[in-house]
Amino acid sequence: MTLDPLTFILEIINFLVLLWLLSHFLYKPLKLAINRRQQALQEAQLATQREQQQATNLAKQYQQKLDEWQLEQAQRQQQLQTEIASMRDKALADVQASARTEHQRQQSLRAMDATNLEHQQQQRAIDSALQLCQRFLQRLSGPELDQALLHMLLEDLQHMPPEARSELQRALEENHHRIDILSAQPLPETSQRKLENSLQSLFIRPPTCHFQVDAGLVGGFRLVIGARVLHANLHDELAFFQQSLNHHQQEPVHLGRTHD
């Protein structure tokens, strides 16, 4: 078999043309697509890095805010302790000043009748104690105290003597089975239901409860059943305590007992 030079040359030319076609129409587009793919991957990687950096920055900002909040809470607590210490020192100074003033007053009033002097001292002590009690009770008032007073009221209602329950039953019938419930703060629905259930179990016929808010109670509740009133609030208890100390009226009726 002989090799034809012309055929060989044509084969070489065909091969070179094929190489040129592959290089121009396949290799370059393929290379361009690969480059674009690599560029997209790089951009995605950069975007991921940016997101990671943003997440890291957000975490640092959150931690910084958390540290600032904790520092602020510590400062507030320290400020509160300082205020309490200042109030205690001021109260002590006031007591000492009052004691000095009272001592001077006693020296200037030695000629007065001993009974009148003792009575005046007791009255001043009662007034000061009542004012101090009122300030502390006002500061202690809140939902927690209301819940505690409500719990005490519910217990007293459950353990009310038969005689007192009969009196309330007669008062309820005279008042057309209506009970007005006054609270120092708006009473949650759950607490309303507890109080209504306790009152309904107390009487033969379930009463109609009307809830009202009276901020003057300071804290707690007042139940008005016609001419009868049940007290479980700071305002009435303090007033009864003052009356008892001054011996102006009879001993007050406390939680679970009624008065006209």
Side-chain angles (χ1 to χ4, degrees):
M1 180 178 177
T2 59
L3 182 63
D4 187 3
L6 180 59
T7 303
F8 180 75
I9 293 173
L10 291 175
E11 291 293 335
I12 294 176
I13 293 173
N14 290 335
F15 179 73
L16 293 176
V17 170
L18 179 61
L19 289 178
W20 181 84
L21 291 174
L22 291 175
S23 174
H24 185 72
F25 293 102
L26 180 62
Y27 176 73
K28 288 184 179 180
L30 182 61
K31 183 178 181 181
L32 181 59
I34 293 173
N35 291 335
R36 290 178 180 175
R37 179 61 178 174
Q38 291 179 347
Q39 183 178 1
L41 291 175
Q42 291 176 356
E43 291 178 353
Q45 185 177 7
L46 290 176
T48 302
Q49 293 177 353
R50 286 195 298 269
E51 291 177 355
Q52 291 178 349
Q53 185 63 35
Q54 291 177 356
T56 302
N57 294 335
L58 289 175
K60 290 181 179 179
Q61 293 176 2
Y62 172 78
Q63 184 63 37
Q64 182 179 1
K65 290 182 179 180
L66 181 61
D67 295 340
E68 292 176 354
W69 179 81
Q70 291 176 349
L71 178 60
E72 182 181 357
Q73 291 297 107
Q75 292 175 350
R76 288 183 178 179
Q77 185 177 5
Q78 181 63 33
Q79 182 180 1
L80 178 60
Q81 293 177 354
T82 303
E83 291 178 356
I84 292 175
S86 177
M87 292 175 60
R88 183 176 62 250
D89 296 340
K90 185 178 182 302
L92 180 60
D94 291 342
V95 171
Q96 292 175 350
S98 299
R100 289 192 297 268
T101 302
E102 185 60 29
H103 180 68
Q104 295 174 359
R105 182 179 178 82
Q106 289 178 1
Q107 290 180 346
S108 64
L109 298 176
R110 287 179 180 178
M112 293 180 59
D113 182 76
T115 303
N116 293 333
L117 179 60
E118 181 180 1
H119 176 73
Q120 293 176 1
Q121 291 174 346
Q122 290 178 352
Q123 186 62 45
R124 283 194 297 271
I126 290 173
D127 294 339
S128 299
L130 289 173
Q131 292 177 2
L132 182 62
C133 288
Q134 185 175 5
R135 289 198 297 268
F136 272 99
L137 290 177
Q138 288 176 348
R139 296 188 64 181
L140 289 173
S141 63
E144 295 83 3
L145 182 59
D146 286 346
Q147 290 298 320
L149 291 174
L150 177 62
H151 181 70
M152 293 174 59
L153 177 60
L154 294 176
E155 286 186 351
D156 289 336
L157 290 175
Q158 293 298 324
H159 298 88
M160 181 175 293
E163 298 80 5
R165 185 176 300 188
S166 299
E167 293 179 1
L168 288 181
Q169 181 67 41
R170 288 193 295 270
L172 182 65
E173 293 174 355
E174 295 173 356
N175 200 41
H176 305 290
H177 298 277
R178 173 190 174 101
I179 298 179
D180 293 315
I181 302 174
L182 285 70
S183 59
Q185 299 181 14
L187 198 60
E189 293 184 1
T190 55
S191 300
Q192 291 184 11
R193 288 195 296 270
K194 287 181 180 179
L195 188 52
E196 286 179 340
N197 294 334
S198 180
L199 291 172
Q200 289 175 357
S201 64
L202 187 65
F203 301 104
I204 299 175
R205 176 179 173 182
T208 303
C209 299
H210 296 269
F211 292 90
Q212 304 176 29
V213 177
D214 185 0
L217 298 181
V218 182
F221 311 90
R222 180 189 294 154
L223 277 62
V224 181
I225 309 174
R228 299 286 179 175
V229 180
L230 286 175
H231 298 282
N233 63 81
L234 300 182
H235 178 272
D236 292 339
E237 292 298 318
L238 186 61
F240 291 152
F241 178 62
Q242 182 178 7
Q243 293 172 4
S244 177
L245 291 177
N246 292 332
H247 301 284
H248 289 165
Q249 295 183 2
Q250 296 180 354
E251 183 178 357
V253 179
H254 294 275
L255 305 177
R257 291 183 289 173
T258 63
H259 77 87
D260 295 326

